[in-house]
């Protein structure tokens, strides 16, 4: 699996390797972050029972060898560590897979049908127009500035061949408790449920002062596109426990522990950008300590993270 990035694209900042190519993406692009993304990938594949939210037979049909000899193709936008790209390339050796990200992964081993290209989704995707049977975006749009999201989504749709499939996989920004009630950001005056220090930290990290519903934004943009078959637009939700079993026994406990570990790493990956914005060290570390306690799944507050996948087919 991919394990490193091009050194020239990283700068050392508060102990982490940050990318130098864009001010949009605020997370590191170093080896610890690639490890976190690989862990996040394992959570996604577990809750979706595979690499994609659709039945395997539909993906097989899209990517099967063609009588005309034309090669099926997959584009992984915001490919991160490259793990999804590499696994799709392994499962579908007859297909061409292209991973695209600000930081180009450097895999420890190569597959002949998988390549990686360095670039910025927000700068346009004209080079890929009309070339792919599947376009995949996971935890990408959440990092794109609100004013640039519509253009990024429409550009991604334009990368599809006729009949092609676009897949978005994202975190819901609002988090909920075990009763699926909305969690609110905590403060020094209000720090008991439904107020959450984890939500406070993530609100500060994303600089969102109010609840946002990216899931509905994506659905709306897709429904307004004249290039998609409206009846194919679908969304699946996955409620994932954090540090507890979610009522699903051993399997739920395993996923809950995976999510807890991943979110503990995630809040630390945001630390350099918070410090860069002027949040004092002691404040940042106090928030992390409080968020850690919540992520342990205490009796006072049990958190559910909502993952969702939205997909559609091109005309």
């Amino acid at each position: 699996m991919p394990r490193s990035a091009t050194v020239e694209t990283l700068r050392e900042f508060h102990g982490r390797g940050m990318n130098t190519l864009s001010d949009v993406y605020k997370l590191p692009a170093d080896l610890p972050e690639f490890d976190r993304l690989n862990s996040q990938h394992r959570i996604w594949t577990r809750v979706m029972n595979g690499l994609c939210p659709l039945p395997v037979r539909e993906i097989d049909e899209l990517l099967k060898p063609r009588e005309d000899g034309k090669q099926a193709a997959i584009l992984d936008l915001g490919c991160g560590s490259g793990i999804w790209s590499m696994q799709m390339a392994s499962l579908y050796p007859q297909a061409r897979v292209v991973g695209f990200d600000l930081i180009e992964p450097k895999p420890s081993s190569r597959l002949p049908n998988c390549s990686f290209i360095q670039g910025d989704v927000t700068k346009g995707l004209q080079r890929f127009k009309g070339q792919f049977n599947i376009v995949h975006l996971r935890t990408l749009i959440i990092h794109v500035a609100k004013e640039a999201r519509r253009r990024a989504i429409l550009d991604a749709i334009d990368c599809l061949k006729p009949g092609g499939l676009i897949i978005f996989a994202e975190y819901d920004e609002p988090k909920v408790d075990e009763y699926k009630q909305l969690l609110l950001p905590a403060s020094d005056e209000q720090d008991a449920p439904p107020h959450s220090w984890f939500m406070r930290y993530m609100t500060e990290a994303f600089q969102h002062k109010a609840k946002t519903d990216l899931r509905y934004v994506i659905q709306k943009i897709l429904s307004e596109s004249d290039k998609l078959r409206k009846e194919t637009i679908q969304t699946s939700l996955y409620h994932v426990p954090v540090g507890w079993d979610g009522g699903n026994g051993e399997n739920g406990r395993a996923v809950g522990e995976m999510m807890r570990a991943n979110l503990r790493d995630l809040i630390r990956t945001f630390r350099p950008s918070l410090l860069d914005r002027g949040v004092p060290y002691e404040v940042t570390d106090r928030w992390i300590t409080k968020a850690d306690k919540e992520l342990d799944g205490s009796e006072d507050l049990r958190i559910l993270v909502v993952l969702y996948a939205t997909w559609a087919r091109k005309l």
Side-chain angles (χ1 to χ4, degrees):
M1 287 299 108
R3 290 288 303 162
S4 64
T6 306
V7 174
E8 292 77 11
T9 61
L10 299 181
R11 65 184 175 96
E12 192 73 15
F13 189 69
H14 292 292
R16 298 299 299 268
M18 310 296 287
N19 83 77
T20 61
L21 300 179
S22 174
D23 292 329
V24 174
Y25 190 68
K26 301 298 185 181
L27 298 184
D30 51 13
L31 289 180
E33 176 62 359
F34 278 4
D35 286 340
R36 187 191 70 80
L37 292 174
N38 288 342
S39 170
Q40 176 181 267
H41 170 79
R42 289 188 285 272
I43 295 171
W44 274 103
T45 56
R46 190 150 183 168
V47 301
M48 293 193 309
N49 295 313
L51 293 173
C52 298
L54 292 82
V56 171
R57 64 179 181 276
E58 294 188 36
I59 305 300
D60 290 349
E61 179 65 23
L62 267 173
L63 301 177
K64 69 181 182 182
R66 308 294 174 183
E67 292 182 0
D68 60 10
K70 291 183 179 179
Q71 187 179 28
I74 303 165
L75 177 61
D76 187 13
L77 293 173
C79 65
S81 70
I83 189 171
W84 188 89
S85 301
M86 293 283 283
Q87 290 189 1
M88 286 295 287
S90 179
L91 278 176
Y92 296 98
Q94 77 279 8
R96 175 174 65 96
V97 182
V98 177
F100 185 77
D101 204 294
L102 287 169
I103 303 295
E104 181 187 350
K106 297 294 182 183
S108 56
S109 60
R110 291 277 183 178
L111 292 173
N113 62 324
C114 185
S115 61
F116 295 100
I117 298 175
Q118 194 168 6
D120 187 343
V121 169
T122 66
K123 297 297 194 301
L125 300 169
Q126 185 65 29
R127 71 175 86 177
F128 299 132
K129 188 172 182 178
Q131 298 181 32
F132 295 90
N133 302 86
I134 295 177
V135 174
H136 175 262
L137 307 89
R138 187 168 69 195
T139 61
L140 170 67
I141 300 300
I142 196 171
H143 293 290
V144 175
K146 290 183 180 180
E147 61 272 15
R149 285 173 176 171
R150 175 177 292 274
R151 184 72 266 156
I153 291 170
L154 296 178
D155 284 348
I157 293 170
D158 280 344
C159 296
L160 290 171
K161 296 179 180 180
L165 172 71
I166 190 164
I167 303 172
F168 298 87
E170 296 281 354
Y171 283 86
D172 243 8
E173 294 166 88
K175 306 298 183 287
V176 298
D177 65 15
E178 60 185 306
Y179 307 108
K180 299 183 181 178
Q181 299 300 304
L182 186 68
L183 294 177
L184 304 173
S187 67
D188 291 332
E189 295 74 31
Q190 294 178 304
D191 66 352
H195 294 85
S196 159
W197 284 103
F198 174 67
M199 275 305 301
R200 170 64 182 277
Y201 191 92
M202 298 308 293
T203 299
E204 296 286 348
F206 281 101
Q207 301 185 68
H208 294 163
K209 302 306 180 186
K211 180 173 73 71
T212 58
D213 291 298
L214 180 57
R215 185 198 332 163
Y216 302 109
V217 172
I218 292 173
Q219 291 172 348
K220 184 174 186 294
I221 294 172
L222 296 185
S223 68
E224 292 172 349
S225 170
D226 60 0
K227 299 180 180 180
L228 297 175
R229 291 165 48 193
K230 302 297 187 293
E231 73 278 9
T232 67
I233 301 172
Q234 297 186 57
T235 295
S236 287
L237 299 181
Y238 313 94
H239 288 85
V240 183
V242 182
W244 61 295
D245 65 10
N248 294 318
E250 287 302 314
N251 185 58
R253 168 62 67 180
V255 173
E257 286 301 317
M258 292 168 67
M259 182 59 81
R260 182 188 65 81
N262 191 266
L263 293 181
R264 281 175 60 93
D265 289 342
L266 177 63
I267 60 179
R268 285 159 175 79
T269 65
F270 272 114
R271 187 173 181 270
S273 63
L274 287 172
L275 295 173
D276 190 42
R277 296 209 320 263
V279 180
Y281 283 88
E282 61 273 15
V283 172
T284 303
D285 292 343
R286 177 165 58 87
W287 289 346
I288 290 175
T289 298
K290 289 178 176 289
D292 279 345
K293 290 180 179 179
E294 290 181 358
L295 296 178
D296 286 339
S298 69
E299 292 298 323
D300 293 334
L301 182 61
R302 288 179 167 179
I303 298 174
L304 289 170
V305 171
V306 183
L307 308 183
Y308 64 91
T310 298
W311 62 93
R313 299 287 288 264
K314 194 173 183 182
L315 290 168

